Amino acid sequence: METLQVNRKKIEKLSTVLNNSRIKIFEYLVDEDTLVVYNNKFHIEKTIAGYMDYIDNKSKIHPEDREKIKQIYKEAKEATVEIREFGEDGDIKHSVLEFTKIVNEDGKLTLIGSTRDITEQRKQEKKLKERARKDSLTGLYNQVYGKKCINKYLNRKKPFDSCGMIVLDVDCFKLVNDNYGHSFGDKVLACLAMLLKEVFRDNDSILMRAGGDEFVIFVKDILNIELVRKNVELMQKIRSFNSGRQVVRSHVVQDVVIFQRMYQVIPMTNCLRMRTLPYIKQKSEERTVMFTVTACSIFHP
């Protein structure tokens, strides 16, 4: 009786650890194709016969992860694998499964496993990754990650795919900070970023704060006339730009660069330097590509 009491106490302690760690225990009977899931008290919670078919037809495992998990069960492999599952609310859950292979007294093969919910960990990692990629004030990509995304696209784009880049600069922005304070200046930049997100929300766009009061909008797979239309739409919104305190009297200069049928990839750093020239020609073997820079000066009455 005393030994039983000790075991109960140990089980209760272990149950608490498993519960706090979000770990569940299971075993897979290989020859019987049966999964047995245990609760934290080590009582059988459920038994699923024909588990391979269950994975394909009834499980909540993400379709892209089903084959790799089935392979482990079929081969009775000792492994650690991460899978995604659909929660009751439709959200994606992340779990790590660990498998250990044992042979029972009757000679039958069994996989003893544990599953640990790491959804919150993955969410936190995603947040940290987003913080490293984005500008904290505007929520747009920072220059390092934005340039990386643009260069990645340019290196992979097909020769006849067109794309466009708009470089927007709030001129004389120092006067805004000097006259109204830096907190108000920050609000102006944040509101301007919201305008960019609104105008380019339907396009496959890369929005980047290049630094200070300079912003870059890079749009993939866009025709010239569509880029011009987006440019006009953005200008119209900037005309009525309101920071929440008053209409901002900012001089906005905007350059439009059109990439059409590029045969030679141009580094992103060179693209950013283009805005200092009236126009630039980039030669390739078959044709000359003209980058026309147009300036729109907007003054608020």
Side-chain angles (χ1 to χ4, degrees):
M1 188 67 179
E2 185 178 350
T3 304
L4 181 60
Q5 187 67 25
V6 172
N7 288 341
R8 280 180 179 174
K9 289 183 178 179
K10 288 183 178 179
I11 289 175
E12 287 175 1
K13 290 180 181 179
L14 184 55
S15 176
T16 301
V17 171
L18 293 176
N19 190 53
N20 292 340
S21 303
R22 304 172 70 97
I23 293 176
K24 299 200 75 170
I25 306 298
F26 63 89
E27 64 177 337
Y28 177 68
L29 310 177
V30 179
D31 294 337
E32 300 174 24
D33 187 24
T34 298
L35 186 79
V36 181
V37 181
Y38 298 92
N39 62 21
N40 290 337
K41 300 291 186 181
F42 300 99
H43 299 148
I44 295 178
E45 186 175 284
K46 60 181 175 180
T47 301
I48 306 173
Y51 190 58
M52 292 299 100
D53 289 336
Y54 179 89
I55 290 177
D56 287 329
N57 301 316
K58 296 182 180 180
S59 77
K60 295 181 180 180
I61 298 175
H62 194 287
E64 295 178 2
D65 295 339
R66 289 175 184 173
E67 283 304 317
K68 68 178 180 182
I69 197 69
K70 283 173 63 177
Q71 199 68 25
I72 292 174
Y73 284 120
K74 287 178 180 178
E75 298 178 6
K77 294 168 59 177
E78 292 193 341
T80 300
V81 63
E82 180 176 336
I83 63 169
R84 294 161 293 172
E85 297 177 277
F86 294 103
E88 294 181 0
D89 53 2
D91 290 344
I92 296 292
K93 294 172 56 182
H94 295 261
S95 300
V96 169
L97 278 67
E98 296 187 25
F99 298 89
T100 301
K101 182 168 55 177
I102 65 170
V103 179
N104 296 332
E105 295 178 356
D106 56 5
K108 292 184 178 181
L109 196 60
T110 300
L111 279 179
I112 302 295
S114 65
T115 175
R116 179 165 53 91
D117 188 342
I118 59 168
T119 304
E120 289 303 317
Q121 179 183 332
R122 288 291 176 261
K123 285 181 179 179
Q124 290 301 318
E125 290 174 355
K126 185 178 180 181
K127 286 181 182 179
L128 291 174
K129 190 177 291 185
E130 285 296 309
R131 287 177 186 173
R133 292 174 174 177
K134 292 187 176 181
D135 172 62
S136 59
L137 174 63
T138 62
L140 306 181
Y141 287 138
N142 57 37
Q143 186 182 105
V144 173
Y145 188 72
K147 287 165 65 174
K148 180 179 179 180
C149 291
I150 294 172
N151 282 328
K152 181 179 179 180
Y153 171 80
L154 291 178
N155 283 315
R156 294 182 178 181
K157 75 182 287 294
K158 297 177 182 178
F160 288 90
D161 288 346
S162 60
C163 53
M165 184 173 74
I166 299 173
V167 180
L168 187 149
D169 179 87
V170 185
D171 200 12
C172 301
F173 189 67
K174 183 177 183 298
L175 295 178
V176 175
N177 284 328
D178 291 344
N179 292 331
Y180 300 107
H182 286 277
S183 61
F184 180 67
D186 288 347
K187 192 171 184 180
V188 170
L189 296 179
C191 290
L192 185 57
M194 289 178 62
L195 285 183
L196 299 183
K197 293 175 185 178
E198 182 180 345
V199 174
F200 293 93
R201 65 184 182 277
D202 297 329
N203 295 81
D204 191 5
S205 307
I206 298 170
L207 305 179
M208 175 177 77
R209 184 184 180 190
D213 54 14
E214 188 173 73
F215 297 83
V216 172
I217 306 103
F218 186 90
V219 190
K220 307 173 187 177
D221 306 319
I222 189 170
L223 298 176
N224 297 356
I225 189 164
E226 177 65 15
L227 183 66
V228 173
R229 189 185 70 79
K230 282 291 182 183
N231 178 45
V232 172
E233 181 183 353
L234 181 60
M235 288 295 94
Q236 289 173 342
K237 288 189 178 294
I238 292 179
R239 288 180 198 276
S240 58
F241 181 54
N242 193 312
S243 69
R245 171 176 167 182
Q246 66 178 69
V247 175
V248 182
R249 297 177 178 274
S250 295
H251 173 74
V252 181
V253 177
Q254 188 179 48
D255 301 339
V256 180
V257 181
I258 295 175
F259 299 80
Q260 186 179 24
R261 299 185 177 182
M262 290 177 55
Y263 292 91
Q264 183 172 338
V265 174
I266 302 172
M268 181 59 200
T269 49
N270 292 348
C271 293
L272 290 177
R273 290 171 187 159
M274 289 178 187
R275 66 184 310 277
T276 62
L277 303 176
Y279 65 89
I280 284 195
K281 293 180 178 180
Q282 177 68 36
K283 293 185 177 180
S284 65
E285 295 180 0
E286 297 192 33
R287 66 172 62 196
T288 298
V289 181
M290 180 76 73
F291 296 87
T292 304
V293 178
T294 60
C296 301
S297 298
I298 297 173
F299 295 89
H300 294 275

